[in-house]
Amino acid sequence: MSLDSLRLHTADLSLKSKLQRLNLGLLALVFAIACVGFTALYSAANGSFEPWAYRQIVRFVVCLGLAVGIALIDIRWWYRLAWPAYAAGMLLLIAVEVMGHIGMGAQRWINLGIIQLQPSELMKIALIMVLARAFHAAAPEDVKRLSFLAVPVCVIAAPVCLVLLQPDLGTSLMMVMAGGAMFLLGGVSLWIFGAVGAAGLLSLPVIWHFLHDYQKQRVLTFLDPSSDPLGAGYHITQSKIALGSGGLEGKGFMQGTQSHLNFLPEKQTDFIFTLWAEEFGLFGGLFLLLLFAMVFGYGLWIAFRCRHAFGRFLTMGLSVNFSLYVFINIGMVMGLIPVVGAPLPLVSYGGTAMLAACVGFGLMMSAHIHRDAKLPKM
Amino acid sequence: MLEKDTEKSRTFTRRALLVGAGQAALLGVLGVRLAYLQVAEGQKYKTLSDKNRINLKILAPSRGQIVDRFGVPLAVNQQDFRVLLTPEQAGDVPAVLKILRRMITLSDRQIEAAIEKAGKVPAFVPVEVRDNLSWTDVARLEVHMTDLPGISIDVGERRIYPFADAAAHLAGYVGAVSKTDLAEDDPVLRLPAFKIGKSGIEKLYDKDLRGTAGAAQIEVNVRGREVRELTRQPGRQGARVMLTIDADLQRRVQERLAAVKSASAVIMDVKTGAVYALCSSPSFDPNLFTSGLSAEKWEELLSDPAYPLNNKAISGQYPPGSTFKMITALATLEDGTANKYTTVHCPGYFLYGGDKFRCWKYSGHGHMNLEEALRESCDTYFYKLSSEIGIEKIADMARRFGLGHKTGFELKEENSGLMPDKAWKMGYFGQPWRGGETIVASIGQGYILATPLQLAVMTARLVNGGRAVRPWVTGYVGDIPMHQNDWPSMNISNEHLGLVLKGMNSVVNHPKGTAYDSRFQSGEMTFGGKTGTSQVRRITTEQRLQGVRNEDLPWKYRDHALFVGYAPADAPRYACAIVVEHGGGGSSAAAPIARDLLAMTMQRHPAARVMRPDKPARDGGPVIPPRKPGKPEKNNEEDGS
């Protein structure tokens, strides 16, 4: 306790000192990744800012401003807001579910004018905040008890079930993975993970039974792309041809024949990495992967410097969430995992992923700026 | 406490490093996979990519025609040949364009635009240099193709409006797809040079006219050059839209209206509601919009005080003037306040609440009954009647006859007009209705506004036995009929309607009628109607004493001339409404035109022939024909170079 009282109270931080503590390095990385996106979108439109690059730049500027705003707000506010944010996220999820039943079609999003917001994206962040708060308060022996874990498990299960109802298998799996990562960080015994994993494997046939036909098709196509050369397998085959033909140095800016001759579907959204790597080759692709690696490194660095458990858990959780997108998207376009409609955050054309990523970075930076804050145990 | 915190923190650090290592490992997997694809297997994929590949190409469907009730085309498609230039094959773009310029006319702007476009797109994407090539141009280019590297000819479609300005407002026109149109998710919208409906029927039925895109699998080489077509799945041609319009009548009406500076007219069937002609003059040539409108011409259309771009027949709103008197008469008759014996003495004015309301005839009409009051358009008679029943009953009757709200006509440019009452004035001005305003309203002045279409509907309902007919212009979309012709009765006494009809008959056919000079001289045909003159700006008593007449005012302050009519007089089938903007008096400016329009209508008698629905080949109809012009037989068109 005596040590605590010696600590600098972050509440006393002036705006100026907060701005000085702002992670300019992280902001620069985010900006660099977004620039890769602008370049690729400019090329995807055959050398035009319309219709994609221009709007993407506008969105990025707005979202980046929002991230800085979030970063400047005291971490204790975010601590307090964890449960309300979770409750709001649940209400939004239920709202889209009910609207879908009332007859507005299977909508997964709410239109906010410049972007279409998917409540499940915000829910992921709220979920990480709540879990960070739960593990912040937990003592080491708590996490060994299964009874303690009941609440966090329910906290994950509720939104996962709602998202499954939409039905959006990909997003619910990502929620489970992000939640699992929080448990891992919290110190839950490794044997529990082993047991859950084994149970999951055993239940695969049951899950298979409940999958929609198009989802089954995607898995089958992934296992044997040539079985469906003009369907989903066609996308992957074309994506691999585009990537592979890029070679070491790429075909050059705006000269990606596969992308520009429309062999490549969705080149401005899900397959943007393919376009980038076709035109800039292995060097360009590795450069982008390196930028992502530096972002993850930043996550670790912020987590280690943070003096409160909430900030540490929050930062690592958000970093894992961000990296899941990267792995799933790039893994998909390279034929490592089945086709799922997942964008490459900050690069793909689209508002929701951009907003979610920037909110996440805002919270990480808030944890960094207010790394010395004193947070209650409950 | 502290120890526990340290333990927890240590666990976290260990696990966080574990997670970080996991992230690094996965990124490593991605990196290795990328290197494997691009380096180890790179050569294989490069070969695959260089081989001829199958590309999916969207084929634009042929846009449906717009035709009149007899199948006469109002909007059709014409083959349009375009010159394309592929920068990569051209090499020196300006040089190729210079050679091209010796063979076809190219403006400096077109050359500059082509060079600019060529610099922006990837080198293998063709850019359009010029469209609308003539047959000779195409032939000449085909001959010299070897001297023109990178030049190719592409065939597309262009929308042609054979009736040019005569049906411009009705048929509308097509234009390039704008950014807001792209919100709709139809792949054909993304085709370069694709056009969609921008106004009128073209816009209203755009989705039906557009059809569905086809697709062709094209084998292309790595340069994007088409090698051959593998399969072709034709799209579906757009549906033909058949209008109730009689195109020939429409053109004649438009020509007749051109005699005055600005006017609009509607001719419709009083029984079915079918519109036979809907004209707004001056008009514009929609063909200019599809072939590229010059900035000067556009500016000229916009700045014309007669608003050629507006469809005044449905969007122009005018005080109906004396054409409103039938409504006042019917409201009073139906209320029971007046009957056919009711007479009013007109001394040339009517005193109400200490104010003097002038009749147009200063010397007065003397004793008037209803028929005479309509015939001679005596204002005092209607002042008196309205002062007895009040505005609410008049407004109610006007609304039953289609005034004050949209008629439900298909075109969205329609305006609702205005029928004021007490609630409206309180809501709009926050002031109570004054009795004097009822007096003014009784002769269609004051706040009342009506569109020519509404006036035609009002007339149709007056003369068809009181049925609530509504106007419509779309007969068939494809082979689907768009309207029914049964209209409910409005429950208005036939005796009262007969009285009003008798008055309207006398307007034209009685020597004292205000439109007697415009009657048919031959006597074979007859029509009835009502004149109207609506004030734009009041001529003050002072000015009147100084001898200022309407003709002396600047054009835009002169009165509007109106006429609503029907024919034949004994068994009405056609109703017409005409407004001559700032034309002066209804009997001198509008009635003669109305007579001519009704004569044309009865001569054509479009109601006698029913519309025949289209029976198109609904599937597999022609898409853009992949036809190229044949080479000319003789090769004697050598250029002077």
Side-chain angles (χ1 to χ4, degrees):
Chain A
M1 285 312 269
S2 56
L3 261 179
D4 281 346
S5 54
L6 286 175
R7 280 184 191 159
L8 184 70
H9 279 245
T10 19
D12 303 330
L13 282 177
S14 64
L15 185 65
K16 194 182 160 199
S17 46
K18 278 187 184 187
L19 283 172
Q20 279 167 349
R21 286 176 153 215
L22 201 62
N23 298 51
L24 290 180
L26 183 58
L27 285 175
L29 275 176
V30 168
F31 180 67
I33 294 174
C35 282
V36 167
F38 305 151
T39 314
L41 289 175
Y42 180 82
S43 167
N46 286 335
S48 163
F49 280 104
E50 297 290 346
W52 299 309
Y54 171 72
R55 293 184 65 180
Q56 183 83 343
I57 290 171
V58 172
R59 280 184 191 141
F60 178 70
V61 169
V62 172
C63 287
L64 200 67
L66 183 72
V68 172
I70 289 173
L72 295 178
I73 292 171
D74 198 308
I75 190 80
R76 281 171 290 193
W77 275 106
W78 297 119
Y79 181 80
R80 269 173 233 155
L81 279 172
W83 280 107
Y86 181 81
M90 285 298 284
L91 280 178
L92 281 177
L93 278 180
I94 292 169
V96 282
E97 186 62 26
V98 172
M99 276 198 284
H101 279 289
I102 287 175
M104 294 181 66
Q107 285 195 351
R108 292 174 183 177
W109 41 264
I110 294 169
N111 199 343
L112 287 183
I114 55 160
I115 57 165
Q116 288 173 342
L117 182 69
Q118 284 192 19
S120 56
E121 296 298 332
L122 291 191
M123 190 63 219
K124 273 184 215 162
I125 292 170
L127 180 65
I128 289 164
M129 286 167 76
V130 162
L131 290 174
R133 191 179 159 141
F135 284 109
H136 168 83
E141 58 268 20
D142 284 343
V143 294
K144 302 269 188 313
R145 290 202 321 269
L146 284 176
S147 59
F148 167 80
L149 295 178
V151 174
V153 166
C154 291
V155 159
I156 299 174
V160 165
C161 290
L162 279 176
V163 174
L164 268 179
L165 277 175
Q166 281 183 353
D168 187 351
L169 182 68
T171 306
S172 46
L173 274 178
M174 280 175 78
M175 280 185 173
V176 171
M177 285 191 274
M182 296 296 280
F183 278 69
L184 186 69
L185 291 163
V188 174
S189 302
L190 290 174
W191 67 265
I192 295 183
F193 285 93
V196 171
L201 272 181
L202 287 177
S203 62
L204 268 184
V206 185
I207 294 173
W208 179 256
H209 180 73
F210 282 106
L211 286 183
H212 288 257
D213 279 342
Y214 76 95
Q215 289 166 329
K216 286 183 188 170
Q217 190 56 47
R218 280 179 181 174
V219 177
L220 288 177
T221 306
F222 163 67
L223 294 174
D224 179 14
S226 56
S227 71
D228 181 19
L230 279 170
Y234 170 82
H235 295 179
I236 287 306
T237 313
Q238 289 303 338
S239 173
K240 276 154 78 174
I241 292 176
L243 276 169
S245 61
L248 208 56
E249 293 168 1
K251 294 176 184 167
F253 184 44
M254 300 220 300
Q255 303 303 322
T257 50
Q258 299 294 298
S259 321
H260 288 290
L261 292 178
N262 288 326
F263 289 124
L264 195 61
E266 299 287 315
K267 56 178 181 278
Q268 80 279 16
T269 56
D270 290 358
F271 285 89
I272 193 138
F273 182 78
T274 308
L275 183 144
W276 173 258
E278 185 190 8
E279 298 192 347
F280 293 92
L282 182 64
F283 293 141
L286 288 182
F287 170 72
L288 184 55
L289 289 180
L290 186 70
L291 289 180
F292 282 124
M294 286 163 78
V295 170
F296 305 156
Y298 239 110
L300 270 179
W301 183 73
I302 292 176
F304 288 152
R305 292 195 66 191
C306 193
R307 291 208 185 166
H308 42 82
F310 177 68
R312 290 198 290 263
F313 279 104
L314 185 64
T315 306
M316 280 311 288
L318 291 168
S319 162
V320 167
N321 186 36
F322 182 75
S323 59
L324 279 174
Y325 275 107
V326 175
F327 299 142
I328 288 177
N329 176 273
I330 301 183
M332 170 190 74
V333 300
M334 294 198 297
L336 285 172
I337 56 167
V339 175
V340 280
L344 187 58
L346 297 174
V347 185
S348 285
Y349 178 74
T352 299
M354 175 79 83
L355 180 72
C358 284
V359 169
F361 289 126
L363 288 172
M364 279 166 79
M365 288 189 291
S366 174
H368 180 75
I369 291 172
H370 310 94
R371 55 184 175 267
D372 302 319
K374 241 172 64 178
L375 286 172
K377 269 293 172 197
M378 273 315 291
Chain B
M1 188 71 189
L2 260 179
E3 242 168 63
K4 275 183 187 164
D5 271 359
T6 352
E7 187 198 329
K8 190 175 156 188
S9 154
R10 232 182 270 136
T11 315
F12 178 85
T13 308
R14 267 202 314 274
R15 293 283 173 98
L17 284 173
L18 193 65
V19 169
Q23 287 175 324
L26 281 172
L27 271 183
V29 169
L30 294 183
V32 168
R33 172 74 176 174
L34 189 62
Y36 172 74
L37 285 177
Q38 295 198 304
V39 180
E41 295 216 299
Q43 207 47 53
K44 173 182 133 192
Y45 285 121
K46 225 168 248 169
T47 328
L48 276 177
S49 140
D50 284 355
K51 253 174 53 183
N52 289 350
R53 304 294 308 168
I54 299 161
N55 195 355
L56 210 62
K57 187 175 158 191
I58 296 167
L59 302 170
S62 189
R63 194 170 174 85
Q65 290 191 344
I66 301 175
V67 298
D68 85 338
R69 62 187 295 106
F70 307 122
V72 177
L74 298 172
V76 287
N77 307 308
Q78 200 183 55
Q79 275 195 336
D80 176 36
F81 294 99
R82 305 182 294 162
V83 192
L84 303 181
L85 180 142
T86 314
E88 191 176 63
Q89 291 158 13
D92 186 356
V93 175
V96 172
L97 288 172
K98 212 172 145 191
I99 306 174
L100 186 65
R101 195 174 197 173
R102 289 195 220 127
M103 301 176 194
I104 57 171
T105 11
L106 284 176
S107 68
D108 287 340
R109 224 172 72 189
Q110 281 167 323
I111 300 246
E112 277 163 34
I115 293 174
E116 197 193 326
K117 268 189 275 177
K120 267 190 182 170
V121 299
F124 50 80
V125 176
V127 297
E128 182 181 314
V129 183
R130 213 200 102 178
D131 64 352
N132 205 11
L133 290 182
S134 73
W135 198 255
T136 358
D137 287 338
V138 173
R140 194 177 299 141
L141 287 180
E142 286 280 339
V143 171
H144 295 279
M145 218 42 141
T146 44
D147 307 332
L148 294 164
I151 294 290
S152 53
I153 294 172
D154 187 40
V155 59
E157 278 193 344
R158 206 157 77 87
R159 199 69 160 164
I160 298 288
Y161 301 94
F163 281 80
D165 62 338
H169 299 106
L170 204 58
Y173 52 87
V174 294
V177 180
S178 71
K179 246 187 280 171
T180 42
D181 299 326
L182 277 174
E184 195 195 327
D185 196 24
D186 188 340
V188 296
L189 295 185
R190 291 174 207 283
L191 287 175
F194 192 77
K195 301 274 167 58
I196 67 169
K198 290 290 176 184
S199 82
I201 294 292
E202 291 272 30
K203 182 178 183 180
L204 186 65
Y205 293 107
D206 186 63
K207 287 225 176 88
D208 300 293
L209 289 165
R210 198 191 290 162
T212 331
Q217 284 187 315
I218 311 271
E219 193 174 323
V220 295
N221 65 14
V222 68
R223 302 278 181 230
R225 176 170 269 270
E226 296 178 5
V227 179
R228 66 193 164 115
E229 192 175 289
L230 298 175
T231 64
R232 172 177 281 257
Q233 185 193 0
R236 209 173 68 196
Q237 190 185 3
R240 190 171 84 153
V241 172
M242 177 177 264
L243 303 183
T244 60
I245 295 296
D246 177 346
D248 192 52
L249 178 65
Q250 171 89 14
R251 171 152 57 194
R252 293 204 216 173
V253 171
Q254 190 75 32
E255 279 166 6
R256 181 64 183 89
L257 293 186
V260 291
K261 188 166 177 182
S262 174
S264 53
V266 178
I267 296 170
M268 65 183 280
D269 192 305
V270 302
K271 292 203 169 89
T272 65
V275 172
Y276 296 126
L278 185 99
C279 298
S280 179
S281 173
S283 184
F284 59 94
D285 184 357
N287 293 309
L288 293 177
F289 285 74
T290 50
S291 62
L293 190 65
S294 70
E296 301 85 67
K297 183 73 193 161
W298 176 242
E299 204 49 51
E300 190 190 316
L301 284 172
L302 281 182
S303 58
D304 190 327
Y307 301 107
L309 292 174
N310 288 6
N311 188 353
K312 285 176 291 217
I314 56 173
S315 67
Q317 305 183 99
Y318 311 92
S322 299
T323 61
F324 188 75
K325 285 175 179 165
M326 283 82 80
I327 299 295
T328 309
L330 267 182
T332 328
L333 288 170
E334 286 282 298
D335 184 51
T337 312
N339 57 41
K340 63 176 163 177
Y341 305 113
T342 308
T343 55
V344 172
H345 176 73
C346 169
Y349 57 85
F350 177 66
L351 287 173
Y352 180 86
D355 285 325
K356 204 179 217 181
F357 291 88
R358 286 260 171 216
C359 181
W360 66 269
K361 193 171 178 185
Y362 268 43
S363 55
H365 286 94
H367 286 282
M368 291 265 116
N369 66 16
L370 177 62
E371 187 196 333
E372 291 160 340
L374 279 172
R375 182 179 78 200
E376 292 164 44
S377 205
C378 170
D379 294 339
T380 310
Y381 186 90
F382 297 95
Y383 291 153
K384 174 79 168 50
L385 257 48
S386 67
S387 70
E388 284 168 13
I389 59 166
I391 188 65
E392 294 300 321
K393 283 181 179 148
I394 295 174
D396 185 52
M397 186 58 68
R399 282 190 280 262
R400 285 170 77 183
F401 277 85
L403 302 181
H405 53 83
K406 291 191 181 180
T407 62
F409 193 64
E410 290 100 320
L411 294 181
K412 298 287 171 271
E413 292 91 345
E414 189 189 4
N415 269 324
S416 62
L418 177 65
M419 186 58 229
D421 58 14
K422 289 176 180 168
W424 171 82
K425 196 183 175 200
M426 190 49 91
Y428 197 80
F429 290 109
Q431 288 167 5
W433 186 267
R434 287 181 297 127
E437 286 167 335
T438 305
I439 308 294
V440 174
S442 73
I443 59 158
Q445 301 282 3
Y447 305 116
I448 308 183
L449 292 174
T451 66
L453 180 66
Q454 282 175 329
L455 293 176
V457 170
M458 176 191 84
T459 313
R461 290 180 182 190
L462 282 169
V463 302
N464 70 0
R467 293 195 168 268
V469 63
R470 283 174 185 277
W472 49 281
V473 75
T474 325
Y476 291 89
V477 171
D479 53 2
I480 303 157
M482 299 303 283
H483 282 278
Q484 42 97 11
N485 300 338
D486 288 337
W487 304 103
S489 166
M490 298 197 295
N491 297 319
I492 289 174
S493 144
N494 276 333
E495 190 203 334
H496 295 157
L497 285 170
L499 272 174
V500 170
L501 214 61
K502 208 170 154 199
M504 290 171 79
N505 197 356
S506 314
V507 168
V508 183
N509 301 310
H510 189 281
K512 281 188 162 176
T514 51
Y516 184 69
D517 291 344
S518 303
R519 73 193 181 283
F520 289 132
Q521 304 286 356
S522 68
E524 275 171 34
M525 295 188 276
T526 48
F527 75 102
K530 181 76 193 78
T531 54
T533 307
S534 71
Q535 283 181 352
V536 174
R537 173 167 291 192
R538 250 187 93 132
I539 297 179
T540 58
T541 320
E542 226 171 283
Q543 283 174 323
R544 206 183 294 274
L545 289 174
Q546 287 163 6
V548 172
R549 286 168 311 151
N550 194 49
E551 299 85 79
D552 302 331
L553 293 171
W555 181 73
K556 61 176 181 170
Y557 296 138
R558 287 182 211 162
D559 296 343
H560 296 310
L562 294 88
F563 192 86
V564 299
Y566 59 91
D570 46 348
R573 185 66 210 245
Y574 302 105
C576 94
I578 166 162
V579 175
V580 181
E581 278 194 332
H582 313 294
S587 54
S588 59
I593 299 181
R595 173 199 54 210
D596 295 347
L597 302 195
L598 285 170
M600 291 171 197
T601 313
M602 284 194 288
Q603 209 181 338
R604 299 270 313 159
H605 200 16
R609 286 173 285 177
V610 289
M611 279 184 285
R612 280 179 216 291
D614 188 22
K615 292 265 187 253
R618 291 188 71 78
D619 286 296
V623 183
I624 294 176
R627 191 152 59 90
K628 277 204 173 182
K631 305 241 176 193
E633 277 158 28
K634 271 187 278 174
N635 194 354
N636 55 0
E637 280 190 82
E638 278 301 327
D639 208 68
S641 59

